[in-house]
Amino acid sequence: MTDLYLKNGRTVDGAPIELGITGGQITAVGPKLNGLQAAETIDLNGDHYVSAGWIDDHTHCYEKLTLYYDDPDLDGVPTGVTTVIDAGSTGADNIGDFYRITRDKRTNVYAMINVSKTGILAQDELGDMNRIQDDLITQALADYPDFIVGFKVRESHSVVIDNDVLPLIAGKRIQKANGDLPLMVHVGANPPALKDVLDLLEPGDILTHAYNGKPNGIIDQEGNIANFVWAAYNRGVIFDVGHGTDSFNFKTMAIAKYAGLDPFSLSTDIYHTNRENGPVVDMATCIEKMLLLGYTLPEVIPMITSAPARNFRLAQKGSLAVGQDADVTIFQVRQGHKTLTDSNHNDRETDTLVVPTHTIVAGTVYTLEG
Ligand SMILES: [Zn+2]
């Protein structure tokens, strides 16, 4: 007997899809599952999209910080996001506590470990190189192997102060000494120069805040994508949106789209302030911005499902296949009106709204107000 039968859904390509879920896993998938007997059936009437559970690979949800913090259950389940990956809020000193307080959350929570042992206790966590202690990170990886999915280095001036790319060089050393987890680097104001940061990144490393509107960004003086940016992109550095309070610009994103420098992953960089006051709000709002810029649903949904699952080695997540974790997002695209605002206070109007209606985590259904 199947626990849950999702009937009459549509894939983002518009094809019919139905799912059977049992014991927290997907146990049947097909255009039509005729005759499936289930304890509970949800009929989606052919007007709801069904995708793998949305994964937000850049969030800040360690509740005990004072700068960037949130409850993962406000960033996740209520917004259609089944999995949040915290991007370096914690380091070796506090990642164990973060692990413990997130075990009973409804939303799946994973973490990149900040190479600074303090995490983002203050804005300048990498202003003192003594906070990078390789042995403490190796121990944390041994203690929380199923929680830590990567490394985080914030390479902008207010974070590194006078250390330029030295924290990133240390991060690469630590990454290589501890298996093959990805390293995500945040960029912003210089120094360090974006070129010096990108030159250190290898295939599979992740550049977040890639489409910001800052002078130290991907666009050169003539308004084109800089050559060193293409060099990094073409050798396999992963470009991630990481919208954030300060790091998503409509014009930068439009120039990049026109040039073909598309993001691999779409993430919010959400925390309580930019969730409550904007400009981030939630993942659906970020999807609406991408649709407004001309991306299609079949292009955007992989950026929050299969791509982050692959990038962070979440083998049980990111696709709707038999044997995968039963993390599913059900949503509608509706006509409506909304003003969308980027990180530089530019407004654009949309009439296409993305509305999550059900979040399913390990087979448990949460019905949303949408
Ligand atoms: Zn961040």
Side-chain angles (χ1 to χ4, degrees):
M1 180 82 151
T2 301
D3 294 342
L4 175 64
Y5 176 20
L6 296 180
K7 195 176 173 178
N8 293 322
R10 288 168 66 194
T11 69
V12 291
D13 297 302
I17 186 170
E18 298 193 336
L19 295 182
I21 290 171
T22 306
Q25 292 205 318
I26 297 172
T27 46
V29 186
K32 256 310 184 192
L33 299 176
N34 291 320
L36 191 74
Q37 298 294 313
E40 183 190 357
T41 297
I42 299 175
D43 191 338
L44 301 171
N45 303 314
D47 60 3
H48 289 67
Y49 291 106
V50 177
S51 78
W54 295 351
I55 300 168
D56 187 346
D57 73 22
H58 186 160
T59 68
H60 292 280
C61 54
Y62 177 49
E63 294 163 79
K64 294 186 185 174
L65 294 182
T66 53
L67 201 51
Y68 307 117
Y69 63 92
D70 212 345
D71 178 342
D73 274 343
L74 294 175
D75 300 334
V77 162
T79 71
V81 171
T82 55
T83 297
V84 295
I85 301 177
D86 182 276
S89 300
T90 58
D93 285 351
N94 41 12
I95 201 162
D97 186 56
F98 183 32
Y99 174 77
R100 279 183 290 278
I101 66 175
T102 51
R103 288 316 85 196
D104 59 355
K105 298 295 181 184
R106 300 181 299 174
T107 308
N108 300 308
V109 183
Y110 296 92
M112 282 170 254
I113 186 168
N114 196 309
V115 296
S116 166
K117 64 179 183 167
T118 62
I120 311 176
L121 213 51
Q123 188 66 259
D124 60 348
E125 81 265 14
L126 290 168
D128 177 357
M129 292 295 289
N130 291 320
R131 297 194 191 116
I132 303 177
Q133 295 188 15
D134 300 30
D135 53 337
L136 295 182
I137 294 176
T138 299
Q139 186 60 50
L141 285 162
D143 291 343
Y144 309 104
D146 299 325
F147 181 55
I148 301 174
V149 294
F151 306 95
K152 180 77 184 290
V153 181
R154 298 203 307 148
E155 277 286 350
S156 53
H157 189 63
S158 59
V159 177
V160 300
I161 313 299
D162 296 327
N163 287 326
D164 206 86
V165 292
L166 289 177
L168 179 54
I169 290 168
K172 290 297 295 179
R173 177 186 72 225
I174 290 163
Q175 177 194 32
K176 287 176 193 301
N178 291 280
D180 73 336
L181 293 177
L183 182 153
M184 176 185 274
V185 61
H186 137 134
V187 292
N190 57 308
L194 181 59
K195 181 179 190 305
D196 295 340
V197 171
L198 284 180
D199 284 351
L200 287 165
L201 298 186
E202 295 175 285
D205 290 336
I206 300 161
L207 171 72
T208 192
H209 306 319
Y211 303 92
N212 70 57
K214 297 173 186 179
N216 187 39
I218 62 174
I219 311 286
D220 67 16
Q221 303 278 23
E222 286 75 46
N224 302 312
I225 304 293
N227 286 333
F228 69 85
V229 172
W230 276 119
Y233 191 83
N234 289 334
R235 73 170 180 273
V237 172
I238 304 209
F239 280 47
D240 176 69
V241 170
H243 187 306
T245 306
D246 295 320
S247 303
F248 182 80
N249 180 274
F250 283 134
K251 194 172 169 195
T252 302
M253 192 73 249
I255 291 170
K257 183 179 189 305
Y258 185 73
L261 191 94
D262 300 316
F264 290 77
S265 51
L266 170 64
S267 61
T268 61
D269 191 18
I270 199 166
Y271 75 112
H272 75 105
T273 303
N274 65 27
R275 172 173 58 76
E276 292 166 356
N277 304 330
V280 171
V281 185
D282 57 18
M283 181 60 90
T285 304
C286 293
I287 297 171
E288 288 164 354
K289 292 176 186 178
M290 299 300 278
L291 296 177
L292 185 69
L293 289 166
Y295 286 100
T296 64
L297 214 48
E299 288 170 335
V300 175
I301 296 302
M303 297 178 191
I304 54 174
T305 54
S306 51
R310 185 173 59 247
N311 296 340
F312 288 96
R313 318 323 187 226
L314 301 175
Q316 284 297 113
K317 302 191 185 298
S319 71
L320 296 175
V322 170
Q324 288 271 294
D325 291 347
D327 293 351
V328 181
T329 301
I330 300 172
F331 63 101
Q332 289 190 304
V333 175
R334 299 180 188 163
Q335 294 294 306
H337 186 80
K338 194 191 269 188
T339 300
L340 298 172
T341 305
D342 73 5
S343 297
N344 301 97
H345 310 289
N346 301 301
D347 289 341
R348 300 216 180 162
E349 308 301 317
T350 189
D351 55 15
T352 302
L353 307 183
V354 175
V355 183
T357 60
H358 305 75
T359 307
I360 302 177
V361 181
T364 300
V365 179
Y366 302 97
T367 303
L368 310 179
E369 285 175 11

